[in-house]
Amino acid sequence: MKSKTMLGVSSALCLGTLPLAAQEATDLEQLKKQLQDMQNKFEQTVRDQREQIEALEQQIEGLKQAPVPATNNAPVSATPAAVADTVDDSRWKLTDPIRIGDRRNAYMDIGLVGSFVAGGSTADDIAGGTQLGGHDPNQNGFTVQGIEANFTGAVDPYFRGTANLLFAIDGEGETFTEVEEAWLETVSLPWNLKVRAGQLFTEFGRHNPTHVHSWDFVDTPLVNGRFLGADGLRNPGGFVSWLAPTPFYSELFLGIQNSHGVTAASFRAPEEGEEGHHHGGGSEVPFAYRHPDNDRGLNTVSDLLFTPRYVLSFDLTDTQTLLLGGSAAFGPNNVGAAGDTRTEIYGADLTWKWTSPKQTGGFPFVKWQSEVMWRNTDVGAFDWDEDGDGLVGDEEIADLDTGLPALMAAETLHDFGFYTQIVYGFRPGWTFGVRYDWLDRDDGAYEMRNLAFEGEALGRDPLRNARWRVSPALTWYPTEFSKLRLQYNHDDRRDIGVDHSVWLQFEFILGAHAAHKF
Amino acid sequence: MNFHPLNRGRRLLRAGAAAALALGLFTAAVARAELNVVATMPDLGALAEAVGAGKVKVTSLARPTEDAHFVTAKPSFIRVLNRADVLIEGGAELEVGWLPPLVEGARNREIIPGGSRRVDASKGLQLLDVPTGPVDRSQGHVHAAGNAHYLLDPVRAGESAGNITEAFARLDPANAAAYRAALESFRAELAKKLPAWEARLKPFAGAKVVTYHKSFDYLLDRFGLEFVGTIEPKPGVEPSPTHINALVPQLREQGVRLILIEEHRPTKTPQYVAEKAGAKLIVLPHFPGSHRASETYLEWMDHLVIELADALKQP
């Protein structure tokens, strides 16, 4: 289809040139004239420059002959510091972050984070079942959550660049890589603006834009896994953010990204398991029991994903800080005919943190963080009689009431969920936290029908079904560069039941380590 | 009287414009009146106050009682940095764990590393503990630039104040003379007080002192007290009971008289070590501003010297 379009476009271009043939002579004259003008200008520039060089050379000669003027006409303050006493900081030392360039010329900082988890679960479907995150534990035994390389540095006076390349091993032992993030960001735009562009996490809520090593728990919150996807909502694109001139901190983000690709769950992500992606889906039946229609690129502006966020923060007291945010994501989804069905996700988040006025190493502290999300998904009408024979064939959903392939009506589905977590740093290096996850939805009309797939009756959509989870976790940070975490998950899924999981996470950081944000 | 809504609207508009202009002029005047100075830590803030000659408004980010290595990166700091005319940093990587993302978020291009309004207060100073041999993180969190707590030495503080003064003078040339005069008087006071401080601690020269972290090295070094070691086995690494049990007899053997800790340290372990080793534990303010009696740099240094002398006086 793509090649056909290309052919069309190129032939249109060829046809377009034919009527112009008559004008060719005059055009040629104009081109010649332009070329002549350009040449004249160029020659003039060269002449000017030669004159400037000669003038400068004369100045240099003059300066050479003049006596050296005294430079210390401004009295330097009388400090006891002698020149010999100054710190020689040009030398690279082994304690410096691993760097391309020395201390004075830091071209790039390199850091490496390795996160692993060991443990087990009573669930048969860990990856994509009890665990919805792509970097969550994916099997009984050991899981490589990610070996994440970070490269960061100033690009030039105008930009800062960073890239996070992640390596991991899936449940089948296959190593896969992810370009988690790779973007450049402006550092000197006026009017308190900032632009970030490249491959990036969407600024949606608190958890989504974070990397594995900064999580307070072993795994992704369920609401993030279900609404924003196993890997979090991240895609090529960019955002502009504005630091508002309010009496408190507040920032507005406007993001635009592609709405297709495996990291655009809830939008135009391909079917789970397709395209060699390693994060297992929870169900073999497609979303809302429809095949995804994803066979298109970008045709109109409305095919893009739009993600606004507004966040504000103020200090309640000297020791307490509150941060409130509202986020949204709007874009087309893959469960309707091209472009006619859309998904909206809304999120609200609250973070409160208390830090002791006498904190040592950041301890003791208490941090409470919660996010709630709503999702409205349009699903298009869909006829399961894909081969058109009027009979229920292989891989076709049957309507048991009629005995015919199911005819799905268009509808809008409503899902919602939240997580809330509290982490108490009770002594230097030690934290104890509890997280509660909860997901539910309004029944879709398609779930209330008498449908079957390959002889098995279908009920509620497992990808939307109600569930909750509670997770206590104890973490020890021997230093800020290593971490050990023990977590228990009590999972309760409607129509599936209760599962118990215990995970022990261990992590190390080498080289440059990004400072902690709030 | 003509109260035609259009006229009224116009009048309001005119009044509004006048008010906006007045406000604009007023804020411009205020902005010109003083440099808005942000110091990462209270000791740098105290120096900025000392040489600011009343022409600067100083905000310190870290609180005087907290551990400056791990300050919570409050979003409100982003707003403060956004409006900063000057950012003063310690320059020895002490703030590396929390300052960079705040500065990146602040959109103030003059205070990014290398910016014209960013002041490294350690410039030109000779720091202690600059690692010379091969070092890696198995030795704890060693600062490659050297020990960052250099303002506990009044002589280095005098030098460092010069860095701050020169930045103020460069960025606010109209008041340059006032800043330089303030620096001179600050240094004169330091020069006057230093012999008194030295005299007060001279009787205890060579007294053996242990600290929790390498926070007070400059203070001990300046006043001739002997730094024997730290309670933490390596910088930033919490001591284990095994380490403590091995440490106590060593301290007893060496005749350690004092154990110094910063205000933010839990006292339990140091108290235990002090009791077992027959030493005295004292908690010292590691920054000015945590007590009413030590708001300024000089008051703080007075306080530190008195506390040390009093503790050493007792048998």
Side-chain angles (χ1 to χ4, degrees), chain A residues 15-29:
Chain A
L15 286 169
T17 54
L18 285 177
L20 295 177
Q23 294 184 337
E24 235 175 47
T26 50
D27 282 354
L28 206 64
E29 284 303 314

Side-chain angles (χ1 to χ4, degrees), chain A residues 90-107:
Chain A
S90 62
R91 206 155 36 94
W92 182 84
K93 297 168 198 77
L94 271 161
T95 47
D96 290 353
I98 302 162
R99 256 175 192 170
I100 307 294
D102 59 26
R103 271 171 58 78
R104 255 186 210 147
N105 311 301
Y107 293 120

